[in-house]
């Protein structure tokens, strides 16, 4: 788990967070009155997303990991990674990805990689967006069509030529066939650059 700055603030913060969780639990009636309140993974994910800073998001995540009978999941990691991407803390994101297989028994899922792609896209880190495809393979997985399309959607907004090259070399080179959404993304990029005459992408290999 990445180091949390100013850990002395954790007890007070955790107390407030737990009160918020109890209120939400009572309102939604997710937890029966006869059992001790244990937050769901969805509750924790929402709490993480509600935080206003990197340190608070990390504190919430660490606090939850110490609750009895609670274990983190893809959804809670995804919430934390989304928050870190918002603040461009991609260094901590990398640490979280590496710890996931041991922490929860499975590597990052497709939605987490798409979250990273979109976060890098918002930060306009185009070269790093492309490298997410290679990052997926480091976990013994083959990038899905959804991941390729997410990368492509970022690239067309920045550089249509780079997007077309990515489609040819990365997507087609990996044996991944595009769908209607893929070609819609590429057409959007051509329209943005007034190059709609090159629109028969599927027939011309983009």
């Amino acid at each position: 788990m990445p180091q949390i700055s100013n850990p002395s603030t954790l007890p007070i913060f955790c107390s407030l967070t737990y009160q918020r969780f109890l209120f939400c639990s009572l309102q939604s009636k997710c937890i029966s009155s006869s059992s001790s309140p244990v937050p769901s993974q969805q509750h924790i994910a929402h709490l993480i997303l509600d935080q206003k800073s990197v340190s608070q998001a990390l504190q919430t995540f660490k606090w939850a990991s110490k609750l009895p009978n609670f274990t983190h999941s893809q959804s809670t990691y995804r919430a934390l990674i989304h928050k870190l991407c918002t603040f461009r803390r991609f260094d901590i994101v990398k640490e979280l990805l590496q710890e996931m297989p041991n922490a929860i028994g499975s590597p990052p899922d497709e939605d987490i990689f798409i979250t990273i792609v979109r976060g890098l896209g918002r930060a306009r880190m185009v070269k790093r967006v492309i490298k997410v495809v290679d990052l997926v393979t480091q976990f013994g997985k083959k990038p899905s069509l959804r991941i390729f399309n997410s990368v492509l959607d970022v690239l067309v907004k920045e550089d249509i030529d780079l997007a077309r090259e990515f489609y040819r070399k990365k997507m087609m080179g990996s044996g991944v066939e595009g769908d209607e959404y893929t070609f819609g993304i590429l057409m959007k990029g051509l329209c943005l650059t007034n190059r709609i005459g090159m629109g028969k992408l599927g027939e011309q290999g983009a």
Side-chain angles (χ1 to χ4, degrees):
M1 177 67 202
Q3 294 297 313
I4 295 175
S5 60
N6 196 15
S8 62
T9 64
L10 188 56
I12 296 175
F13 177 76
C14 289
S15 176
L16 294 174
T17 304
Y18 194 57
Q19 289 176 28
R20 290 177 62 191
F21 156 69
L22 287 175
F23 175 78
C24 292
S25 298
L26 290 172
Q27 289 293 99
S28 61
K29 298 181 180 180
C30 290
I31 299 175
S32 67
S33 58
S34 61
S35 62
S36 60
V38 178
S40 68
Q41 292 163 343
Q42 184 179 15
H43 271 116
I44 296 302
H46 283 307
L47 285 175
I48 292 169
L49 292 172
D50 283 344
Q51 303 313 308
K52 305 302 182 185
S53 68
V54 169
S55 62
Q56 288 180 346
L58 287 168
Q59 286 169 1
T60 304
F61 187 89
K62 187 172 183 178
W63 161 75
S65 67
K66 295 180 179 180
L67 291 174
N69 303 316
F70 179 83
T71 56
H72 281 295
S73 65
Q74 297 281 347
S75 63
T76 56
Y77 269 92
R78 183 166 61 251
L80 180 56
I81 287 171
H82 174 82
K83 205 67 183 178
L84 293 170
C85 287
T86 300
F87 291 97
R88 302 189 180 189
R89 292 305 306 269
F90 299 107
D91 54 329
I92 305 179
V93 169
K94 185 176 180 180
E95 293 179 29
L96 289 172
L97 295 179
Q98 296 300 325
E99 79 173 37
M100 284 184 69
N102 289 330
I104 64 173
S106 61
D109 64 13
E110 177 185 66
D111 288 331
I112 284 180
F113 287 114
I114 291 173
T115 296
I116 295 170
V117 167
R118 292 172 178 169
L120 289 167
R122 288 191 297 270
R124 306 192 74 173
M125 297 180 177
V126 178
K127 292 183 179 180
R128 293 185 66 176
V129 169
I130 296 173
K131 292 180 180 179
V132 173
V133 172
D134 298 323
L135 182 61
V136 176
T137 63
Q138 292 178 19
F139 290 90
K141 291 186 170 186
K142 183 178 180 179
S144 66
L145 178 59
R146 281 188 66 212
I147 292 174
F148 276 115
N149 280 343
S150 296
V151 173
L152 201 60
D153 192 45
V154 171
L155 297 183
V156 296
K157 298 170 185 175
E158 299 293 331
D159 187 334
I160 182 58
D161 291 320
L162 183 60
R164 294 173 71 218
E165 181 182 9
F166 174 81
Y167 172 77
R168 288 194 303 268
K169 293 185 177 180
K170 284 288 188 179
M171 285 189 70
M172 296 181 67
S174 299
V176 176
E177 295 185 7
D179 57 7
E180 291 184 2
Y181 185 62
T182 306
F183 300 119
I185 293 170
L186 289 167
M187 286 293 290
K188 176 178 66 177
L190 291 172
C191 289
L192 290 172
T193 54
N194 295 317
R195 294 159 71 178
I196 194 63
M198 302 173 64
K200 292 185 178 181
L201 300 171
E203 299 174 6
Q204 299 176 8

